[in-house]
Amino acid sequence: MTGPAAVTLRIARPADASATAALHAAGIAEGFLPKLGPRVLRLLHKRMTLDRSSFVLVAMSGRGIDGFVAGTTDVKMLYKSFLRRDGIVAAVLAAPRAPKLWRGALETLRYSGRADAKLPRAELLAIAVDGGARGRGLGRALTRGLQDELTRRGVTEAKVVVGADNAAALALYRSTGFRSVGVVDVHRGRRSEVLVWP
């Protein structure tokens, strides 16, 4: 798959987890997952490359990995797999931060286990582009790449949950065919918008 400015998209490998987790932490710093620490985030990114229901696409250039998008055909299955295979290690690594983060962890798990018959099970989980590579259309190329990969896997619809105040992300998703279907409070005190594609 190719995108703008001679950037190539490819499926990430487990060895890419450090780079994609670092992009995640830098690009989505206000999110809950980066607060768990870089090693836990690396574990999750590695699990997404190994889990059959999930994938990570990376945007490659001569500089290396310029961006990523993570998706899953079933967010509940992904988190179950992560807890079953990596949960003990993740808990140990996150333990020093746990007193401040327990509520966010419970809210994230509660959200992932929520079954809403009206919403797709597939989800765009995270997307980030390196600061030096922004403004070249990589976010759009990655989002379209995710849609292509979901289609290849036989998935015809997906959702994304984004902070209701994140105008740039909302504009990106709407420009690639997502439409707003409602709001949700995944984390207490923070409104998020739910968008569905197509």
Side-chain angles (χ1 to χ4, degrees):
M1 294 180 242
T2 60
V7 173
T8 302
L9 301 186
R10 68 163 170 80
I11 297 287
R13 300 180 283 267
D16 297 321
S18 291
T20 57
L23 281 169
H24 187 150
I28 315 172
E30 77 282 353
F32 168 71
L33 292 173
K35 292 176 184 167
L36 294 173
R39 295 190 292 175
V40 175
L41 199 54
R42 261 194 313 272
L43 273 177
L44 178 59
H45 276 250
K46 185 175 180 182
R47 178 57 45 209
M48 289 186 295
T49 67
L50 296 170
D51 184 72
R52 289 185 309 176
S53 69
S54 305
F55 61 92
V56 177
L57 288 175
V58 291
M60 301 294 299
S61 72
R63 303 174 351 148
I65 296 176
D66 283 339
F68 83 92
V69 64
T72 184
T73 59
D74 190 326
V75 70
K76 189 174 180 178
M77 272 180 57
L78 169 63
Y79 282 124
K80 277 185 178 178
S81 174
F82 180 69
L83 288 173
R84 186 172 54 252
R85 297 175 184 269
D86 305 298
I88 293 172
V89 173
V92 169
L93 293 174
R97 302 165 189 255
K100 295 179 181 177
L101 300 175
W102 66 270
R103 176 174 279 129
L106 288 175
E107 291 167 343
T108 299
L109 291 173
R110 190 176 307 126
Y111 162 74
S112 69
R114 205 182 294 166
D116 186 334
K118 299 175 196 165
L119 293 175
R121 291 182 356 195
E123 183 169 342
L124 187 159
L125 298 166
I127 186 169
V129 174
D130 181 78
R134 290 189 185 144
R136 297 184 357 219
L138 291 183
R140 186 171 284 108
L142 285 162
T143 304
R144 293 203 188 282
L146 173 126
Q147 292 164 332
D148 291 344
E149 179 62 21
L150 287 172
T151 300
R152 189 187 72 73
R153 292 173 179 235
V155 175
T156 58
E157 57 183 5
K159 67 182 174 290
V160 63
V161 179
V162 62
D165 58 350
N166 191 337
L170 289 167
L172 167 66
Y173 298 135
R174 288 178 180 136
S175 76
T176 55
F178 283 85
R179 70 184 190 293
S180 298
V181 295
V183 293
V184 65
D185 289 323
V186 177
H187 298 292
R188 192 172 67 166
R190 176 131 200 237
R191 302 291 282 171
S192 294
E193 198 161 330
V194 181
L195 297 93
V196 171
W197 163 81

